[in-house]
Amino acid sequence: MNENADWYTHGMPYLATGEVDVHNIFEILSSGYGGRVALTKEFLGALEESVTRNFKSNNLICSMSQNTECIYSSKQIATATISEDFMPNEPTFQTLHIASVAFYSLLMGEIIIPDWEMSTHYTAEFHGAARAIGGCAIYVSDKPGHHNFDIIKKLVLPDGSILPAKYAGRRTRDCIFIDPVTDEKSLLKIWNLNKLTVVVGSVSPLDVDLPEEAADESWRADCALYSFSSGSLIAMPKERSFEVSLGILKFDVFTVAPIRVFDQNLQFAPIGLLDMYNSGGAVQSLQYKSDPTCVVKVQVRGSGRIGAYSNRKPKYCSVDMKGKLFVYNAKEGLLTFNLGEECSLKDVEIVS
């Protein structure tokens, strides 16, 4: 048994998950003496061994671990904080924090699952929405009685599971080489990908460039775009952009879904759970058949309100073969109905 792993083990049996801070201390302690790489490798290996022995899964967050020897020595640790310590009560840290983690994720998102940090404070919703786009783990470390459940419910389903995006959130292409914090003119956009949709956090003019990974041969380049803040839906041609007007420390989260064109000119795009920041993370698959009627089949995970774009009013909607009352907004093409309260994988059918 590794003696250092045994040392870590003394505290871990009481925990289900944990965060180990100040990994870079070995770099500081070894300054002028040498051996920091070997020392870091030894203790990091011991930590990983102890996590394997004591936790049911890889539930460990590493903090202050972005020094080179930590990055190259880590073999099992999946999640790490990629920013300077977040100071929730420091006004100048709010946008700086989000801008920096979105930039660092370009590199670190290829190595580990980035932890973007957040807490309950006056800009908690601003940071909560960013975390939903960031593809991050969701955890709560607030004092008992200080949780903001209105925000948590937009990030976490009632069964405790989440709707993670596929990758680490990162700046959109037009935001990579700008500094939205200090140049006093630029605004920031962050994007991520779900199985069938793109999620974009925006405080600027939005120009959608949908990755082909989110679409198939039934896509004709138009998109349905749902605004979380306003609850509105628009159908956008590929070359169109539109202005987003937001105040300081305000945000919007857009779910962008490719509009698929099926037989008999049916246009359809699943949006997902409308009351979650990352609405499209709930959509798992999409199928279509037209014999003898037009039927769109969508697999969705979660509970609550679901939405989709359709260019015509459906005749019938069902969830797990049970008919559902639905609302159709003909002006926007927004179809909504309720999945129910149980958080499970559901088969949704829309007959047009």
Side-chain angles (χ1 to χ4, degrees):
M1 178 186 296
N2 187 315
E3 292 183 0
N4 293 319
D6 190 39
W7 178 77
Y8 280 115
T9 294
H10 286 304
M12 286 190 174
Y14 305 98
L15 304 173
T17 185
E19 178 175 355
V20 177
D21 206 346
V22 201
H23 283 262
N24 61 349
I25 191 66
F26 299 119
E27 186 173 35
I28 298 171
L29 293 176
S30 302
S31 179
Y33 296 97
R36 76 179 195 276
V37 174
L39 189 63
T40 298
K41 185 176 181 180
E42 172 70 19
F43 273 87
L44 195 57
L47 175 61
E48 292 179 332
E49 181 182 333
S50 183
V51 168
T52 301
R53 187 189 310 161
N54 292 285
F55 291 169
K56 293 182 179 180
S57 57
N58 198 359
N59 292 342
L60 180 72
I61 300 171
C62 291
S63 185
M64 295 181 69
S65 59
Q66 303 311 302
N67 49 317
T68 304
E69 51 268 33
C70 273
I71 294 173
Y72 282 106
S73 297
S74 177
K75 296 180 179 179
Q76 293 178 249
I77 292 170
T79 303
T81 301
I82 61 168
S83 68
E84 181 58 87
D85 286 343
F86 177 45
M87 310 296 182
N89 296 320
E90 172 55 57
T92 61
F93 265 49
Q94 310 308 316
T95 52
L96 175 61
H97 177 77
I98 299 302
S100 62
V101 293
F103 191 79
Y104 295 152
S105 288
L106 284 170
L107 169 63
M108 297 309 299
E110 302 300 318
I111 302 171
I112 47 88
I113 299 172
D115 174 28
W116 283 21
E117 291 196 294
M118 63 172 284
S119 64
T120 299
H121 52 92
Y122 71 101
T123 59
E125 189 155 16
F126 179 80
H127 291 274
R131 180 167 282 258
I133 302 167
C136 315
I138 306 297
Y139 60 91
V140 176
S141 57
D142 302 309
K143 295 178 181 179
H146 289 74
H147 305 318
N148 189 326
F149 286 103
D150 288 339
I151 295 176
I152 293 173
K153 288 177 181 178
K154 299 171 187 176
L155 292 164
V156 182
L157 294 170
D159 66 352
S161 63
I162 63 173
L163 303 175
K166 294 180 69 172
Y167 305 116
R170 61 207 71 188
R171 298 183 183 200
T172 56
R173 186 166 49 198
D174 59 323
C175 293
I176 293 176
F177 297 108
I178 64 172
D179 184 356
V181 178
T182 63
D183 69 7
E184 298 184 356
K185 63 178 181 179
S186 302
L187 297 171
L188 179 65
K189 297 193 292 286
I190 303 169
W191 74 279
N192 210 326
L193 190 65
N194 297 307
K195 288 185 177 180
L196 295 173
T197 62
V198 172
V199 58
V200 182
S202 178
V203 289
S204 66
L206 190 64
D207 183 9
V208 176
D209 187 8
L210 193 74
E212 293 184 1
E213 187 177 344
D216 58 22
E217 66 278 358
S218 62
W219 182 41
R220 301 292 185 268
D222 294 345
C223 294
L225 191 145
Y226 177 78
S227 164
F228 179 86
S229 295
S230 67
S232 61
L233 178 72
I234 61 172
M236 286 185 57
K238 180 176 175 57
E239 302 302 325
R240 179 183 168 188
S241 63
F242 71 98
E243 294 290 324
V244 179
S245 179
L246 298 169
I248 296 173
L249 290 177
K250 300 299 181 181
F251 68 92
D252 203 348
V253 180
F254 298 94
T255 297
V256 185
I259 296 177
R260 292 166 167 83
V261 180
F262 299 119
D263 295 344
Q264 303 180 36
N265 201 34
L266 172 64
Q267 299 177 17
F268 186 87
I271 301 300
L273 296 179
L274 302 182
D275 298 317
M276 305 292 286
Y277 288 132
N278 185 19
S279 304
V283 182
Q284 304 299 303
S285 66
L286 174 68
Q287 294 180 321
Y288 171 79
K289 68 175 184 178
S290 59
D291 186 19
T293 57
C294 299
V295 181
V296 177
K297 296 184 177 182
V298 186
Q299 276 200 325
V300 182
R301 185 171 68 85
S303 61
R305 291 193 309 142
I306 184 176
Y309 168 81
S310 178
N311 67 326
R312 63 191 193 207
K313 183 178 180 179
K315 299 175 182 176
Y316 178 79
C317 296
S318 69
V319 177
D320 291 336
M321 302 183 70
K322 296 179 181 178
K324 289 286 183 178
L325 295 175
F326 64 87
V327 176
Y328 180 71
N329 182 332
K331 182 178 180 180
E332 296 184 352
L334 179 60
L335 167 68
T336 60
F337 54 94
N338 201 299
L339 287 176
E341 297 182 358
E342 183 180 351
C343 285
S344 59
L345 190 63
K346 298 179 175 68
D347 293 317
V348 174
E349 290 194 2
I350 296 130
V351 180
S352 297

